[in-house]
Amino acid sequence: MLRTALAGLRAHRLRLLLTSLAIMLGVGFIAGTFVLNDTVQAGFAQRVTADAGKVDVAVLPGKSDGLLPEKVLQRVQALPGVTEARGLIRGGAPVLGKDGKTFGNAPTTALSVITGPLDRTDVVSGTGPGTDDLAAVLDENTAKAQGFRLGDMITVLDGKKSAHHFRLVGLIDTGVDQMLAYTGAVGFTPATARRMTGVKGYAEIDVAGSGPGLKQAVAAAAGGAYTVKTGAELADDLAKAAGVQAQMFTLGLLMFGVVAMMVAALVIYNTFNILIAQRTREMALLRCIGATRGQVFGSIVLESAVVGLLSSALGLIIGYGLATATLAVLGAADAPLPTDAGAALTPATVAIGLAVGLVVTMCAALLPARSATRVPPIAALRSQPEERAFRTGLARAAFAALFLLAGLGTTGAGVFALEPGEVALFVVMAGGALTFLAVLILGPVLVKPLSALVGWIPRRVFGVPGRLAVDNSGRNPRRAATTTVALTIGVTLMTLISVVTASTRLTMTGKLDEQFPIDYVLTSQERDSVIPRSVAGELRGHRELASVAQIREVEAVVAGDRLVVGTFSGPIEPYVAAGSMKGFGAGQAALEDTVAERLGVRVGDTVTVRTERAGTVSLDVVALLDGNQSTLTPVTVPEGAFETYFGAVPDSRVMVTVGDGVAGERARAVVDAAAAPYPTVQVASSTEIRGQFDETLDMMLAIITGLLGLAILISLLGIANTLSLSVHERTRESALLRALGLTRPQLRGMLSVEALVLGLIGALVGVVLGLVFGWAAMRAILTGAVFSVPVPQIVLFVVLSGVAGVLAAVIPARRAARASIVGSLATS
């Protein structure tokens, strides 16, 4: 039986090649993901270890936003065994671009660059500032983005927003620090860093020393309010914190790998069904000469194990290549991930890749192997395999109804019974999985009516070949359903993602239009009240502008909780969820609904606010604002009362509407001129905000579509396999059609139309499921979501599915057309 199984593998190389491709692609994607993750994690650890290895002990603040005072550094420096201890300074110090304005969404982080054995700054070009208080270094990404080169003069704002000029002497690599990758970094001497940031303490104290109990001695000197770690512990924590981003990236990729393996499992299942159908007589003859059912079953399982093992090994090689290519792309794109370490296959990745491919292949082959044991010996005497008639059966109907009701009920609960959020989305996902199982069970039942529906036009356009193709597409409902399900998975996910993307774009654009019925907004990086009121006053003097609205805000203690309290002036319509703001005056306040819920406050209740000028005041809550739509602060008070409580606070935002008929360039010039004297005041247009949002969504859609394309590719192998079986089973039938006058082009056309119908069936079911659960997902994600169907994209998916099916039929159709009529009729 072993020799027979191996001979069977050699005899059906083409069919097994298609199966192997499906396994290789699925395993390759998963293995590549693990290789990528291992490489990035190793890069994180390598960089962190190289930096933190210089430190023997580190003292950190007890709170994430806390500081270490000077006296702690002095106590640590006085310890015996401590050879050096240095405090690291960090704080905001905005760097100005060449246009004289701040850039980015957060101020640049200023660092102290120390010298000596505890220097952990990675200077990649030039030198460090050394002892030169007029020198500075920038992180290489910021320098590249802003066009700065070594030797240039850069302008940096201190804590009082005064400008200082420095000579750029070096470029640094921020390493694994994700905050620095986000804000950018500018480095100075410790004295200059202290002066520019204005901070009174240290973000970290690094200690070099020797002797037993150094950590305990430093901890005792620092005091219990601070955290003390060894250099190794610091490296581990930094690597873990930095690796979170890579882990989320890996999990996202693995989701697509799981989808690919699901589709591959369906292709494998179909392939072994093909082999069993082709070898019906062979199995029966084996039974006639004494082979037991167990031996027949074992031979099929052995074939699947060999195919799975070899294909998984090749998949590991493909995965390694994918990971290497991805690392090269990430490195070229300056991604904030350490991609300089070489890709490597770890033993764990090899074991996982081989195990996944082997297990999936063998599990997918179990049902076909079991059916092989049921081939009766008498089948060896038949000239053609007997085609089994499909019957729905009571059990199939019952299970389908059970899963369908459970899926729709769960989805309905997620949409209608739960508040939008993560829980609702997970419930909808569970409902989608149950519903898909119902569709999977009902697949053979749906094939015939769907083939009649989809084939209505081909039946009339392509004449006799078209009618034969449509009839043949529903001839073996079980196998056709399994094939179309593979394609359905990919089309469902692509349709769902497209619907969610289009709906999110329409919903958020509508909310932006409602929340920002403006053309320009002036803000600062820190979103603080730093915009002089004179800016709004100057803008109001221009006839090009229809309206100017101002928002001011400060932090204050409200009902024992520290919140942002603000006010507004100008044409702003608050989104009132409860109560009313008519006659809004002194002694009253409006709260965001989420803040009110957290404080346990309702309309009509009273809250206390601790103010700078009026002390603690009691305010009546007269309205609750919709936190999802409101542009106001968590706590809003009338403008006059705000002045009484906090004084003449500058604006935090100024929102501008352009007059009718005014050219956009002219209005922008007016707004830019008003903001030009103030480097920290940034101008953004509503068009730019929407454009950035659309770019992000388009990029995500492109990435996800590309990843799901792998599932589509694997499903095409399934269509090719199904058509191969169709060609094999209908060898004599095709020859008879040829003998009756069907030409070779007509025979090829018949098989191509059949593949077209199968592809369209899978696409049609996928589109329906994608639309339904795309709508449900949007309802579960966003309150007031606007449902949008991207018709051109969905039509493109359907067309591509049909074209892909026709392309998958090319090789089977050519084989059928080339077959000898006489030889095929003589087949017995």
Side-chain angles (χ1 to χ4, degrees):
M1 289 304 297
L2 177 61
R3 289 195 298 271
T4 302
L6 296 177
L9 287 172
R10 291 192 298 270
H12 303 283
R13 289 187 293 271
L14 178 61
R15 212 79 66 244
L16 294 175
L17 175 63
L18 293 173
T19 305
S20 298
L21 283 174
I23 303 169
M24 283 188 287
L25 289 173
V27 172
F29 197 96
I30 291 177
T33 301
F34 278 111
V35 171
L36 186 63
N37 179 67
D38 292 341
T39 304
V40 172
Q41 294 287 358
F44 278 134
Q46 181 180 352
R47 288 193 179 186
V48 171
T49 303
D51 291 341
K54 300 178 180 180
V55 179
D56 294 307
V57 175
V59 185
L60 304 172
K63 299 179 180 179
S64 59
D65 57 349
L67 291 172
L68 297 161
E70 179 70 29
K71 60 183 180 181
V72 173
L73 176 60
Q74 293 174 353
R75 290 201 299 262
V76 171
Q77 288 175 331
L79 289 173
V82 172
T83 58
E84 186 170 2
R86 303 290 295 271
L88 305 182
I89 299 171
R90 273 197 183 193
V95 177
L96 302 187
K98 291 192 172 182
D99 59 355
K101 306 286 284 187
T102 57
F103 51 84
N105 296 319
T108 314
T109 300
L111 311 171
S112 60
V113 180
I114 62 176
T115 57
L118 288 174
D119 178 15
R120 291 162 55 191
T121 306
D122 184 10
V123 179
V124 295
S125 180
T127 64
T131 59
D132 186 356
D133 288 338
L134 296 179
V137 295
L138 274 178
D139 70 283
E140 53 185 346
N141 290 333
T142 298
K144 180 179 179 181
Q146 299 303 317
F148 290 124
R149 297 182 179 180
L150 295 180
D152 288 351
M153 296 300 294
I154 62 173
T155 303
V156 187
L157 302 181
D158 62 16
K160 298 179 180 179
K161 308 307 177 188
S162 299
H164 301 263
H165 305 287
F166 299 90
R167 184 167 52 88
L168 183 61
V169 298
L171 302 180
I172 62 173
D173 182 359
T174 56
V176 300
D177 194 314
Q178 301 302 298
M179 178 57 70
L180 295 184
Y182 174 68
T183 65
V186 56
F188 307 104
T189 62
T192 304
R194 175 85 68 193
R195 186 176 72 252
M196 293 300 296
T197 61
V199 297
K200 303 300 182 182
Y202 300 105
E204 181 180 327
I205 294 176
D206 290 344
V207 181
S210 59
L214 180 61
K215 177 183 177 182
Q216 290 76 11
V218 171
Y226 308 109
T227 303
V228 178
K229 298 179 180 179
T230 64
E233 292 170 343
L234 178 64
D236 289 340
D237 290 345
L238 290 175
K240 288 177 183 177
V244 169
Q245 180 179 352
Q247 290 170 358
M248 295 301 294
F249 180 65
T250 302
L251 288 175
L253 288 178
L254 282 177
M255 289 178 60
F256 294 100
V258 170
V259 171
M261 287 309 301
M262 287 174 56
V263 177
L266 293 171
V267 173
I268 297 165
Y269 170 78
N270 249 9
T271 300
F272 279 94
N273 263 337
I274 291 171
L275 294 176
I276 299 306
Q278 287 182 332
R279 296 159 61 188
T280 300
R281 297 185 68 205
E282 176 188 327
M283 298 297 176
L285 284 170
L286 288 173
R287 296 288 310 284
C288 286
I289 60 175
T292 64
R293 288 189 174 184
Q295 288 177 314
V296 172
F297 181 85
S299 68
I300 302 297
V301 173
L302 176 62
E303 288 183 17
S304 69
V306 173
V307 172
L309 194 60
L310 293 177
S311 303
S312 299
L314 293 174
L316 288 172
I317 298 174
I318 292 175
Y320 181 84
L322 286 173
T324 303
T326 303
L327 288 170
V329 171
L330 291 175
D334 290 327
L337 296 171
T339 58
D340 47 355
L345 277 174
T346 64
T349 299
V350 173
I352 291 173
L354 292 177
V356 168
L358 186 60
V359 170
V360 169
T361 306
M362 293 184 68
C363 289
L366 288 179
L367 285 178
R370 184 168 172 266
S371 66
T373 63
R374 297 180 176 180
V375 176
I378 195 66
L381 304 177
R382 298 188 184 124
S383 59
Q384 282 286 93
E386 182 180 346
E387 218 173 80
R388 298 179 185 176
F390 172 77
R391 295 182 180 178
T392 303
L394 183 61
R396 181 182 295 272
F399 276 109
L402 177 64
F403 280 113
L404 186 61
L405 290 175
L408 295 179
T410 304
T411 303
V415 172
F416 300 109
L418 297 174
E419 290 293 325
E422 290 186 4
V423 175
L425 181 60
F426 283 127
V427 171
V428 167
M429 290 172 60
L434 292 172
T435 305
F436 192 84
L437 287 176
V439 173
L440 186 63
I441 296 171
L442 284 174
V445 180
L446 299 174
V447 164
K448 281 196 173 183
L450 287 177
S451 64
L453 174 65
V454 173
W456 187 79
I457 294 178
R459 180 186 288 272
R460 284 157 179 76
V461 172
F462 297 104
V464 173
R467 292 196 294 273
L468 289 171
V470 173
D471 292 339
N472 287 333
S473 62
R475 192 165 175 176
N476 192 325
R478 183 180 286 107
R479 186 173 61 245
T482 307
T483 303
T484 56
V485 162
L487 185 61
T488 297
I489 292 175
V491 175
T492 298
L493 293 174
M494 293 179 74
T495 302
L496 188 149
I497 296 298
S498 299
V499 167
V500 169
T501 302
S503 300
T504 301
R505 179 180 284 112
L506 186 61
T507 302
M508 298 309 294
T509 300
K511 289 193 174 186
L512 283 172
D513 289 337
E514 293 177 359
Q515 294 180 30
F516 299 94
I518 54 172
D519 296 295
Y520 298 99
V521 58
L522 283 67
T523 60
S524 69
Q525 283 181 324
E526 297 160 314
R527 303 296 189 267
D528 290 338
S529 294
V530 296
I531 305 174
R533 296 191 183 189
S534 59
V535 173
E538 180 182 345
L539 291 172
R540 284 195 177 93
H542 289 276
R543 292 178 297 176
E544 293 88 349
L545 307 180
S547 67
V548 177
Q550 299 161 264
I551 293 179
R552 305 179 193 111
E553 57 191 53
V554 297
E555 278 195 354
V557 177
V558 180
D561 198 353
R562 194 161 191 83
L563 298 170
V564 175
V565 179
T567 189
F568 66 95
S569 63
I572 295 179
E573 290 292 333
Y575 289 87
V576 178
S580 173
M581 293 186 70
K582 291 182 179 180
F584 195 47
Q588 296 179 336
L591 275 63
E592 280 189 1
D593 48 8
T594 53
V595 172
E597 182 180 357
R598 194 174 77 205
L599 298 178
V601 176
R602 299 180 181 179
V603 172
D605 291 346
T606 301
V607 295
T608 59
V609 181
R610 192 183 306 162
T611 70
E612 293 181 0
R613 296 193 170 194
T616 300
V617 296
S618 295
L619 302 178
D620 296 328
V621 179
V622 296
L624 300 183
L625 307 180
D626 185 349
N628 292 320
Q629 302 187 69
S630 177
T631 60
L632 300 180
T633 51
V635 180
T636 301
V637 298
E639 185 178 11
F642 184 86
E643 299 270 340
T644 302
Y645 302 152
F646 304 104
V649 176
D651 297 327
S652 62
R653 280 170 286 166
V654 177
M655 295 177 285
V656 180
T657 304
V658 178
D660 295 335
V662 177
E665 297 82 1
R666 174 59 185 159
R668 180 62 187 251
V670 169
V671 177
D672 284 341
Y678 309 101
T680 59
V681 177
Q682 298 177 326
V683 179
S685 70
S686 56
T687 302
E688 291 172 352
I689 296 172
R690 293 185 183 89
Q692 293 172 358
F693 184 74
D694 286 341
E695 284 181 11
T696 302
L697 285 179
D698 290 339
M699 181 179 66
M700 291 177 58
L701 179 62
I703 292 173
I704 293 174
T705 301
L707 293 173
L708 289 177
L710 180 65
I712 300 293
L713 177 61
I714 295 175
S715 67
L716 296 183
L717 300 177
I719 293 177
N721 269 352
T722 299
L723 289 173
S724 296
L725 174 58
S726 178
V727 169
H728 171 77
E729 288 183 340
R730 288 179 284 168
T731 300
R732 298 185 67 189
E733 176 186 317
S734 298
L736 182 60
L737 290 172
R738 291 283 313 285
L740 293 175
L742 197 69
T743 65
R744 285 184 175 182
Q746 285 178 320
L747 181 59
R748 288 196 297 267
M750 180 189 76
L751 292 173
S752 297
V753 172
E754 184 177 340
L756 172 67
V757 171
L758 288 176
L760 292 178
I761 289 174
L764 181 63
V765 176
V767 165
V768 172
L769 290 174
L771 289 175
V772 171
F773 287 97
W775 168 82
M778 285 305 303
R779 290 290 301 268
I781 294 171
L782 291 173
T783 302
V786 180
F787 183 63
S788 176
V789 179
V791 176
Q793 288 183 2
I794 292 176
V795 170
L796 180 62
F797 293 156
V798 174
V799 171
L800 289 178
S801 298
V803 172
V806 173
L807 292 176
V810 171
I811 294 179
R814 289 183 63 188
R815 291 182 62 201
R818 288 180 175 181
S820 167
I821 298 177
V822 176
S824 298
L825 289 173
T827 302
S828 59

